[in-house]
Amino acid sequence: TKSLELRMKVENHKFLNSILKCKTDQAGFTLIEVLVSMTILALGILGLITVVNSIMYHQSKSREVTQATLLIKNKIEEIKRISTNEPSGGKYGFNYLVTDYLVAQSMNQVNNKKYSLSEVLDKGKELPQMTRTLTLQTYPQESNRSFSDPDQINLLEVIVRMEWVDKRGNTKSMEMGSLIHKRHFIE
């Protein structure tokens, strides 16, 4: 009987050890491992959201700069076209630009060497509202030539400036200029 009892104790002990061994050999995740994994995943997703937001902002900024550049270049080219003397005494030309154009466009006289005009351009929801400022001034500024005697003006500086507020509330601007000489002709 003692040997039977001893054998039973040994068998019970082996059985309990096998149960305990099964519990420690389990393949699974602890709560801490799951929480650490979820934290790492959340940080990764937040990083991706930040990157996507930055990409969208820079894409929008690029679109705005491209549009501003096109609007500036178009205005400069329009002024160049108007300033070019036409054959056979046409309506437009350099003299028209330094006299009648200023009045026709209701440009504001800043001083006797400079005229300016600002206009607001709204291109819809895609782009922010932009302000384009056209400035016509005698060149060089130090010369004694002025708009009060347009026949004396041989060189005119055209400056076009665009200003807008981007999606983040930052004021942006860009400016381009061109010189126009009195002797432009179409042949």
Side-chain angles (χ1 to χ4, degrees), residues 121-154:
L121 306 171
D122 194 355
K123 294 291 181 181
K125 294 180 182 178
E126 289 267 331
L127 293 166
Q129 182 175 325
M130 296 181 168
T131 302
R132 178 171 59 192
T133 303
L134 168 65
T135 303
L136 299 176
Q137 61 188 23
T138 60
Y139 189 85
Q141 281 287 325
E142 299 79 34
S143 72
N144 59 355
R145 295 177 170 91
S146 70
F147 285 100
S148 57
D149 189 7
D151 291 334
Q152 295 299 316
I153 300 174
N154 293 325

Short mmCIF file of all heavy atoms in Angstrom, two decimals, residues 121-154:
data_model
loop_
_atom_site.label_atom_id
_atom_site.label_comp_id
_atom_site.label_asym_id
_atom_site.label_seq_id
_atom_site.Cartn_x
_atom_site.Cartn_y
_atom_site.Cartn_z
N LEU A 121 -7.97 88.96 -57.70
CA LEU A 121 -8.29 87.85 -58.60
C LEU A 121 -8.76 86.67 -57.77
O LEU A 121 -8.06 86.24 -56.86
CB LEU A 121 -7.05 87.46 -59.42
CG LEU A 121 -6.38 88.59 -60.19
CD1 LEU A 121 -5.06 88.12 -60.76
CD2 LEU A 121 -7.29 89.10 -61.28
N ASP A 122 -9.94 86.17 -58.09
CA ASP A 122 -10.48 85.03 -57.36
C ASP A 122 -10.65 83.88 -58.33
O ASP A 122 -11.44 83.95 -59.26
CB ASP A 122 -11.82 85.40 -56.72
CG ASP A 122 -12.27 84.39 -55.69
OD1 ASP A 122 -11.62 83.35 -55.53
OD2 ASP A 122 -13.30 84.65 -55.03
N LYS A 123 -9.89 82.82 -58.14
CA LYS A 123 -9.89 81.67 -59.04
C LYS A 123 -10.72 80.51 -58.50
O LYS A 123 -10.51 79.37 -58.87
CB LYS A 123 -8.46 81.20 -59.32
CG LYS A 123 -7.65 82.21 -60.10
CD LYS A 123 -8.16 82.31 -61.50
CE LYS A 123 -7.36 83.30 -62.31
NZ LYS A 123 -7.85 83.42 -63.65
N GLY A 124 -11.63 80.77 -57.59
CA GLY A 124 -12.50 79.71 -57.08
C GLY A 124 -11.93 79.03 -55.86
O GLY A 124 -11.02 79.53 -55.20
N LYS A 125 -12.47 77.86 -55.57
CA LYS A 125 -12.10 77.13 -54.36
C LYS A 125 -10.72 76.48 -54.44
O LYS A 125 -10.11 76.20 -53.42
CB LYS A 125 -13.15 76.06 -54.05
CG LYS A 125 -14.49 76.64 -53.70
CD LYS A 125 -15.49 75.55 -53.42
CE LYS A 125 -16.85 76.18 -53.12
NZ LYS A 125 -17.87 75.18 -52.88
N GLU A 126 -10.25 76.23 -55.64
CA GLU A 126 -8.95 75.56 -55.82
C GLU A 126 -7.79 76.40 -55.29
O GLU A 126 -6.85 75.88 -54.73
CB GLU A 126 -8.72 75.27 -57.30
CG GLU A 126 -9.59 74.18 -57.85
CD GLU A 126 -8.92 72.83 -57.77
OE1 GLU A 126 -7.69 72.78 -57.82
OE2 GLU A 126 -9.65 71.84 -57.66
N LEU A 127 -7.86 77.71 -55.51
CA LEU A 127 -6.76 78.60 -55.15
C LEU A 127 -7.27 79.73 -54.26
O LEU A 127 -8.43 80.11 -54.35
CB LEU A 127 -6.12 79.18 -56.41
CG LEU A 127 -5.41 78.18 -57.30
CD1 LEU A 127 -5.12 78.78 -58.66
CD2 LEU A 127 -4.12 77.72 -56.66
N PRO A 128 -6.38 80.28 -53.45
CA PRO A 128 -6.81 81.40 -52.61
C PRO A 128 -7.00 82.66 -53.44
O PRO A 128 -6.53 82.76 -54.57
CB PRO A 128 -5.65 81.55 -51.63
CG PRO A 128 -4.47 81.02 -52.35
CD PRO A 128 -4.99 79.92 -53.22
N GLN A 129 -7.68 83.62 -52.86
CA GLN A 129 -7.85 84.92 -53.50
C GLN A 129 -6.48 85.59 -53.57
O GLN A 129 -5.73 85.60 -52.61
CB GLN A 129 -8.81 85.75 -52.64
CG GLN A 129 -9.13 87.09 -53.21
CD GLN A 129 -10.18 87.78 -52.35
OE1 GLN A 129 -11.07 87.16 -51.82
NE2 GLN A 129 -10.06 89.07 -52.23
N MET A 130 -6.14 86.13 -54.74
CA MET A 130 -4.83 86.75 -54.95
C MET A 130 -5.01 88.20 -55.35
O MET A 130 -5.97 88.55 -56.03
CB MET A 130 -4.05 86.01 -56.04
CG MET A 130 -3.72 84.59 -55.70
SD MET A 130 -2.77 83.81 -57.03
CE MET A 130 -2.23 82.33 -56.23
N THR A 131 -4.07 89.03 -54.93
CA THR A 131 -4.06 90.44 -55.31
C THR A 131 -2.88 90.67 -56.23
O THR A 131 -1.74 90.38 -55.88
CB THR A 131 -3.95 91.35 -54.07
OG1 THR A 131 -5.04 91.07 -53.19
CG2 THR A 131 -3.99 92.81 -54.47
N ARG A 132 -3.18 91.21 -57.42
CA ARG A 132 -2.12 91.50 -58.40
C ARG A 132 -1.96 93.01 -58.48
O ARG A 132 -2.93 93.74 -58.69
CB ARG A 132 -2.49 90.94 -59.76
CG ARG A 132 -1.45 91.25 -60.83
CD ARG A 132 -1.69 90.52 -62.13
NE ARG A 132 -2.98 90.83 -62.71
CZ ARG A 132 -3.52 90.14 -63.71
NH1 ARG A 132 -2.89 89.12 -64.23
NH2 ARG A 132 -4.70 90.47 -64.18
N THR A 133 -0.74 93.48 -58.30
CA THR A 133 -0.44 94.91 -58.38
C THR A 133 0.48 95.16 -59.56
O THR A 133 1.58 94.59 -59.62
CB THR A 133 0.21 95.41 -57.07
OG1 THR A 133 -0.66 95.10 -55.98
CG2 THR A 133 0.45 96.91 -57.13
N LEU A 134 0.03 96.00 -60.46
CA LEU A 134 0.81 96.39 -61.63
C LEU A 134 1.39 97.77 -61.36
O LEU A 134 0.66 98.68 -60.97
CB LEU A 134 -0.08 96.44 -62.88
CG LEU A 134 0.49 97.11 -64.12
CD1 LEU A 134 1.68 96.34 -64.66
CD2 LEU A 134 -0.58 97.26 -65.18
N THR A 135 2.69 97.91 -61.56
CA THR A 135 3.34 99.21 -61.39
C THR A 135 4.09 99.54 -62.67
O THR A 135 4.87 98.70 -63.17
CB THR A 135 4.32 99.19 -60.20
OG1 THR A 135 3.62 98.82 -59.03
CG2 THR A 135 4.96 100.54 -59.99
N LEU A 136 3.85 100.72 -63.20
CA LEU A 136 4.60 101.23 -64.35
C LEU A 136 5.39 102.43 -63.85
O LEU A 136 4.82 103.35 -63.26
CB LEU A 136 3.65 101.68 -65.48
CG LEU A 136 2.74 100.60 -66.08
CD1 LEU A 136 1.81 101.23 -67.10
CD2 LEU A 136 3.56 99.51 -66.72
N GLN A 137 6.71 102.41 -64.08
CA GLN A 137 7.53 103.53 -63.63
C GLN A 137 8.64 103.80 -64.63
O GLN A 137 9.07 102.91 -65.35
CB GLN A 137 8.11 103.26 -62.24
CG GLN A 137 9.00 102.07 -62.13
CD GLN A 137 9.38 101.74 -60.69
OE1 GLN A 137 8.68 102.12 -59.76
NE2 GLN A 137 10.48 101.04 -60.52
N THR A 138 9.04 105.06 -64.66
CA THR A 138 10.12 105.42 -65.57
C THR A 138 11.40 104.75 -65.09
O THR A 138 11.56 104.46 -63.91
CB THR A 138 10.32 106.95 -65.61
OG1 THR A 138 10.64 107.41 -64.30
CG2 THR A 138 9.09 107.65 -66.13
N TYR A 139 12.28 104.48 -66.04
CA TYR A 139 13.52 103.81 -65.70
C TYR A 139 14.68 104.54 -66.35
O TYR A 139 14.57 104.90 -67.53
CB TYR A 139 13.48 102.35 -66.17
CG TYR A 139 14.64 101.55 -65.66
CD1 TYR A 139 14.60 100.97 -64.41
CD2 TYR A 139 15.79 101.39 -66.43
CE1 TYR A 139 15.67 100.24 -63.93
CE2 TYR A 139 16.86 100.65 -65.95
CZ TYR A 139 16.79 100.08 -64.70
OH TYR A 139 17.85 99.36 -64.23
N PRO A 140 15.73 104.78 -65.69
CA PRO A 140 15.97 104.58 -64.27
C PRO A 140 15.22 105.63 -63.44
O PRO A 140 14.89 106.70 -63.93
CB PRO A 140 17.48 104.73 -64.12
CG PRO A 140 17.90 105.59 -65.26
CD PRO A 140 16.92 105.32 -66.37
N GLN A 141 14.95 105.30 -62.20
CA GLN A 141 14.20 106.20 -61.32
C GLN A 141 14.90 107.54 -61.11
O GLN A 141 14.25 108.55 -60.90
CB GLN A 141 13.98 105.53 -59.95
CG GLN A 141 12.87 104.52 -59.93
CD GLN A 141 11.51 105.20 -59.97
OE1 GLN A 141 11.31 106.27 -59.42
NE2 GLN A 141 10.59 104.57 -60.67
N GLU A 142 16.23 107.53 -61.19
CA GLU A 142 17.00 108.75 -60.94
C GLU A 142 16.94 109.74 -62.10
O GLU A 142 17.37 110.88 -61.97
CB GLU A 142 18.48 108.41 -60.67
CG GLU A 142 18.71 107.52 -59.46
CD GLU A 142 18.42 106.05 -59.75
OE1 GLU A 142 18.67 105.57 -60.88
OE2 GLU A 142 17.92 105.39 -58.84
N SER A 143 16.41 109.33 -63.24
CA SER A 143 16.37 110.23 -64.40
C SER A 143 15.35 111.34 -64.16
O SER A 143 14.51 111.26 -63.30
CB SER A 143 16.02 109.44 -65.67
OG SER A 143 14.66 109.07 -65.64
N ASN A 144 15.45 112.37 -64.99
CA ASN A 144 14.52 113.49 -64.86
C ASN A 144 13.26 113.28 -65.71
O ASN A 144 12.42 114.15 -65.80
CB ASN A 144 15.21 114.80 -65.25
CG ASN A 144 15.75 114.77 -66.68
OD1 ASN A 144 15.68 113.73 -67.34
ND2 ASN A 144 16.28 115.89 -67.13
N ARG A 145 13.11 112.12 -66.31
CA ARG A 145 11.94 111.82 -67.13
C ARG A 145 10.76 111.47 -66.23
O ARG A 145 10.90 110.79 -65.23
CB ARG A 145 12.24 110.67 -68.08
CG ARG A 145 13.30 111.03 -69.10
CD ARG A 145 13.65 109.86 -69.99
NE ARG A 145 14.48 110.27 -71.08
CZ ARG A 145 15.81 110.26 -71.04
NH1 ARG A 145 16.44 109.84 -69.98
NH2 ARG A 145 16.51 110.65 -72.09
N SER A 146 9.57 111.95 -66.64
CA SER A 146 8.38 111.68 -65.83
C SER A 146 7.16 111.56 -66.74
O SER A 146 7.21 111.89 -67.92
CB SER A 146 8.16 112.80 -64.81
OG SER A 146 7.76 113.99 -65.46
N PHE A 147 6.06 111.09 -66.18
CA PHE A 147 4.83 110.93 -66.94
C PHE A 147 4.20 112.27 -67.29
O PHE A 147 3.32 112.33 -68.14
CB PHE A 147 3.83 110.06 -66.16
CG PHE A 147 4.19 108.61 -66.18
CD1 PHE A 147 4.83 108.02 -65.11
CD2 PHE A 147 3.88 107.82 -67.28
CE1 PHE A 147 5.15 106.67 -65.13
CE2 PHE A 147 4.21 106.47 -67.31
CZ PHE A 147 4.85 105.90 -66.24
N SER A 148 4.64 113.35 -66.65
CA SER A 148 4.12 114.66 -67.02
C SER A 148 4.61 115.08 -68.41
O SER A 148 3.99 115.93 -69.06
CB SER A 148 4.49 115.71 -65.97
OG SER A 148 5.89 115.76 -65.80
N ASP A 149 5.71 114.49 -68.89
CA ASP A 149 6.20 114.73 -70.25
C ASP A 149 6.49 113.37 -70.89
O ASP A 149 7.64 112.94 -70.99
CB ASP A 149 7.46 115.60 -70.21
CG ASP A 149 7.89 116.05 -71.59
OD1 ASP A 149 7.15 115.81 -72.58
OD2 ASP A 149 8.99 116.64 -71.69
N PRO A 150 5.43 112.64 -71.35
CA PRO A 150 5.60 111.27 -71.84
C PRO A 150 6.53 111.14 -73.05
O PRO A 150 7.12 110.07 -73.25
CB PRO A 150 4.18 110.84 -72.22
CG PRO A 150 3.28 111.92 -71.84
CD PRO A 150 4.07 113.08 -71.37
N ASP A 151 6.68 112.19 -73.85
CA ASP A 151 7.56 112.11 -75.02
C ASP A 151 9.02 111.93 -74.62
O ASP A 151 9.83 111.44 -75.43
CB ASP A 151 7.42 113.38 -75.88
CG ASP A 151 6.05 113.45 -76.55
OD1 ASP A 151 5.45 112.38 -76.76
OD2 ASP A 151 5.58 114.57 -76.83
N GLN A 152 9.39 112.28 -73.42
CA GLN A 152 10.76 112.15 -72.94
C GLN A 152 11.07 110.76 -72.37
O GLN A 152 12.22 110.45 -72.11
CB GLN A 152 11.05 113.21 -71.86
CG GLN A 152 10.99 114.63 -72.39
CD GLN A 152 12.02 114.87 -73.47
OE1 GLN A 152 13.18 114.47 -73.34
NE2 GLN A 152 11.62 115.49 -74.57
N ILE A 153 10.04 109.95 -72.18
CA ILE A 153 10.24 108.61 -71.60
C ILE A 153 10.70 107.66 -72.70
O ILE A 153 10.02 107.47 -73.69
CB ILE A 153 8.95 108.08 -70.95
CG1 ILE A 153 8.50 109.01 -69.82
CG2 ILE A 153 9.15 106.66 -70.42
CD1 ILE A 153 7.15 108.64 -69.23
N ASN A 154 11.87 107.06 -72.53
CA ASN A 154 12.39 106.09 -73.49
C ASN A 154 12.37 104.66 -72.94
O ASN A 154 12.40 103.71 -73.71
CB ASN A 154 13.84 106.44 -73.86
CG ASN A 154 13.91 107.72 -74.64
OD1 ASN A 154 13.03 108.02 -75.44
ND2 ASN A 154 14.95 108.49 -74.41
#
